[in-house]
Amino acid sequence: MATLANQIENYIKEQLAASKAGSFDIKRSALAEIFMCAPSQINYVLETRFSTSQGYCVESKRGGGGYIRITRLLVNPNNDLHYLVEEAEGKHVSQQIGEGLIDRLVEEEFLTKREGMLLKGLLSHETLRPTLHIQLPQGYELLIDYDLLRGRLLKSMLVTLLREDFE
Amino acid sequence: MATLANQIENYIKEQLAASKAGSFDIKRSALAEIFMCAPSQINYVLETRFSTSQGYCVESKRGGGGYIRITRLLVNPNNDLHYLVEEAEGKHVSQQIGEGLIDRLVEEEFLTKREGMLLKGLLSHETLRPTLHIQLPQGYELLIDYDLLRGRLLKSMLVTLLREDFE
DNA sequence: AGTATAAAGGTCAAAGATGGTCAAAAGGTT
DNA sequence: AACCTTTTGACCATCTTTGACCTTTATACT
C-alpha cells in the first residue's frame, strides 16, 4: 500500500535514521511540495504515525523561519514504562495506536518480534469484536468499548513487562 | 462445479502457492473486478473457504490504501494446536482453564515463559473487567461474558502461533 | 515602539477510497 | 416443498486526502 501518507512516513523515518542526533527539522511547506500534497497532509501523517506513544516528539514553530522538528524518543526502562502504564490507565486506544506502541516496544527490544505479533493479534478488532447479540427493548443500544478494552490489555502487558521476575 | 466462489477460491490459493512467505495481499475491490462480482462476494469466499479452522488467517485494512491479507497457517499433523483452535472457537474459557492452557503451551515449548506471563496477565479478570458502556432502562441488567472474550483471545493467540510467518 | 504585512504552521470538517455486515434474492439439492 | 449454498445490494465503519479558515511569528515600515 503505497499511499501518500505511507510514503511521507517512510521519508521522515529515513531522514531520522540518517541523522546523527535522532532529530530532524524540515519546513512543512517544503515536505508538502516534495510530495505535491496539501500541507495539512503532513499534519495527518505526524498525528497518525509520529505520536508520543509511538515514540516520537514533534515540535514546531510558526511564522517566518518556521519549521517542524521530529525527534525519535528512546524508551528508558525505569521511567518510561511506568509513565506508559499511567498513560494506558483508563485510556481509549485505537487499534492503530496500539499497534504503533507495540511496534515501538519491539524496536526498542522490550518485546521480541514474536511477542509483538502475539499481542497485535490480540488487540485486533477481529479478536475483540463480540458475537453475542442481546435482545434489548427498542431504542436501547449495546455499545462495547473496544478502545477501552485495548487500553486495559496494553496496560496489563506493560505491567507484566515491569515485573521484577520477568526475564 | 465452477461456481464463482470456487473460481475465486482457486485464484487465491494459486496466489498463495506462488508466494514465498505464505502470505498474499490484494485489494478486495481489485479481486471483485477480476471476477466481475459484488465486493461482498469476496467476503463470502473468505468466510466459507479461508477460515481459521481451514488453516488460514485473514486480516484487512479499510480506507485509502486498504487491502486484504491472507496468510496460510502451518499444517503440522504432529502438533495439536489446530485442534485447540477449533476448541477455542466460540468457547467460554474461565481464567483458570485459560491459564492452564497457557501453562501447557509453555511446557510443550510452543510459548516461552515470558510469553506465557504476558498472556496470563491479559486473560486475568482484572484486565478484562468493565469494558461496556451501556444505557439500560430500569429493571434490565446485563452480565458481561468475560469467558467468551477469553476464548476469543486464546483463539487469536493460537492462530498467531500457527502463522507461517511467525518466527 | 507600534503596526501592518508576509510567511509560516494548525484545525477541522467534508469528500474520497476502501473494506465489512447483514439480509434478501437467486440457484441448486434432496 | 424445504433446505442449503451462492450472489447481490443497501447501508455502515475506517482511513486518507484536500481545502477553507485560523493563529503565531518575523520583518518592514511608519
Side-chain angles (χ1 to χ4, degrees):
Chain A
M1 354 106 227
T3 62
L4 226 191
N6 286 338
Q7 290 174 254
I8 299 174
E9 174 188 359
N10 290 149
Y11 178 85
I12 294 176
K13 287 186 171 164
E14 276 164 28
Q15 299 299 313
L16 227 33
S19 82
K20 204 75 183 176
S23 179
F24 160 58
D25 284 19
I26 196 172
K27 278 199 186 308
R28 183 180 79 151
S29 55
L31 247 188
E33 216 163 290
I34 292 175
F35 291 96
M36 295 184 291
C37 64
S40 54
Q41 173 76 342
I42 307 303
N43 297 77
Y44 174 71
V45 173
L46 294 173
E47 278 159 30
T48 56
R49 286 124 159 106
F50 295 89
S51 67
T52 313
S53 64
Q54 286 163 317
Y56 298 91
C57 167
V58 176
E59 302 160 280
S60 64
K61 201 179 143 201
R62 308 187 190 192
Y67 61 87
I68 288 174
R69 171 172 303 153
I70 301 143
T71 309
R72 181 77 216 270
L73 303 175
L74 295 182
V75 179
N76 172 329
N78 291 326
N79 301 318
D80 296 344
L81 286 182
H82 279 102
Y83 172 71
L84 287 171
V85 170
E86 303 279 323
E87 273 291 279
E89 183 80 59
K91 244 322 183 0
H92 286 65
V93 179
S94 70
Q95 185 169 346
Q96 200 181 41
I97 294 293
E99 292 188 355
L101 173 58
I102 290 175
D103 285 340
R104 179 188 178 200
L105 292 173
V106 170
E107 273 174 42
E108 297 284 323
E109 299 184 325
F110 284 101
L111 293 173
T112 67
K113 199 175 160 217
R114 265 173 65 106
E115 287 162 353
M117 287 178 74
L118 280 168
L119 293 167
K120 283 200 272 188
L122 294 174
L123 292 188
S124 74
H125 178 71
E126 176 66 19
T127 299
L128 267 28
R129 108 175 222 278
T131 15
L132 63 170
H133 291 280
I134 298 167
Q135 197 60 40
L136 288 181
Q138 284 228 327
Y140 288 88
E141 211 185 339
L142 176 59
L143 297 174
I144 297 194
D145 197 330
Y146 306 119
D147 289 358
L148 184 56
L149 176 53
R150 230 176 249 118
R152 287 175 168 279
L153 292 170
L154 278 176
K155 187 191 164 194
S156 159
M157 175 195 85
L158 292 166
V159 167
T160 305
L161 280 180
L162 283 170
R163 286 174 59 140
E164 284 199 0
D165 58 350
F166 190 66
E167 326 117 12
Chain B
M1 275 165 302
T3 63
L4 225 192
N6 287 336
Q7 290 174 255
I8 299 175
E9 174 188 359
N10 291 148
Y11 178 85
I12 294 176
K13 287 186 173 165
E14 277 165 26
Q15 299 298 314
L16 225 34
S19 82
K20 201 78 183 172
S23 178
F24 160 59
D25 283 19
I26 196 173
K27 278 197 187 308
R28 183 180 78 151
S29 55
L31 208 41
E33 215 164 289
I34 293 175
F35 291 97
M36 294 183 291
C37 62
S40 54
Q41 173 76 344
I42 307 303
N43 297 76
Y44 174 71
V45 174
L46 294 174
E47 279 158 30
T48 56
R49 285 127 161 108
F50 294 89
S51 68
T52 322
S53 53
Q54 286 162 313
Y56 299 90
C57 169
V58 177
E59 301 160 284
S60 64
K61 196 178 153 207
R62 308 186 189 190
Y67 61 87
I68 288 175
R69 171 172 305 152
I70 301 143
T71 307
R72 235 186 348 231
L73 301 181
L74 293 170
V75 280
N76 181 347
N78 291 331
N79 75 45
D80 47 10
L81 290 183
H82 273 110
Y83 170 71
L84 288 172
V85 170
E86 302 277 335
E87 274 292 280
E89 182 86 59
K91 247 314 182 10
H92 286 65
V93 179
S94 69
Q95 184 169 346
Q96 203 182 24
I97 297 289
E99 293 189 355
L101 171 59
I102 291 175
D103 284 339
R104 192 182 132 202
L105 291 172
V106 169
E107 275 167 34
E108 295 184 17
E109 299 185 327
F110 287 112
L111 292 173
T112 67
K113 199 174 157 220
R114 259 175 70 105
E115 287 163 354
M117 287 175 73
L118 276 170
L119 293 167
K120 282 200 271 187
L122 295 174
L123 292 187
S124 73
H125 179 73
E126 174 65 19
T127 298
L128 302 183
R129 221 168 15 103
T131 44
L132 292 176
H133 283 308
I134 330 161
Q135 312 142 342
L136 281 184
Q138 287 224 326
Y140 283 86
E141 207 185 338
L142 182 63
L143 297 177
I144 303 173
D145 200 336
Y146 304 116
D147 289 356
L148 184 58
L149 179 53
R150 231 176 249 115
R152 288 177 157 278
L153 292 170
L154 280 176
K155 183 187 161 193
S156 158
M157 175 196 83
L158 291 166
V159 167
T160 304
L161 285 180
L162 282 168
R163 288 177 65 123
E164 280 199 7
D165 58 354
F166 187 66
E167 319 131 4

